[in-house]
């Protein structure tokens, strides 16, 4: 039981050291991720379209 109390006390102390992000930081990170994912998706769609067209031209 003593180990559990020590573990709980140490966990509580560590939680006080955590710096949680503010709303603006979360919004900024969300927008950054959204933009990067969108750009990569568009790039992959472009590559897919080019490869599909080139493969269709070779087959026909």
């Amino acid at each position: 039981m003593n180990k559990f109390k020590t573990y709980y006390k140490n966990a509580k102390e560590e939680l006080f050291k955590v710096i949680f992000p503010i709303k603006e930081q979360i919004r900024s990170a969300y927008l950054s991720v959204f933009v990067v994912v969108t750009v990569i998706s568009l790039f992959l769609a472009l590559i897919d379209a080019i490869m599909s067209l080139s493969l269709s031209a070779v087959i026909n």
Side-chain angles (χ1 to χ4, degrees):
M1 190 68 175
N2 195 17
K3 287 185 179 181
F4 179 73
K5 287 181 182 180
T6 304
Y7 173 78
Y8 181 76
K9 180 183 172 199
N10 289 338
K12 191 174 178 181
E13 288 175 3
E14 288 298 320
L15 271 176
F16 282 121
K17 296 178 186 177
V18 174
I19 300 171
F20 293 100
I22 58 176
K23 190 180 289 189
E24 289 80 18
Q25 291 171 330
I26 294 171
R27 185 176 298 127
S28 174
Y30 172 78
L31 287 174
S32 298
V33 169
F34 183 78
V35 168
V36 168
V37 168
T38 302
V39 168
I40 291 173
S41 298
L42 292 173
F43 175 73
L44 291 175
L46 177 66
I47 296 298
D48 183 50
I50 291 170
M51 292 182 78
S52 294
L53 289 173
S54 64
L55 188 60
S56 296
V58 170
I59 291 175
N60 292 334

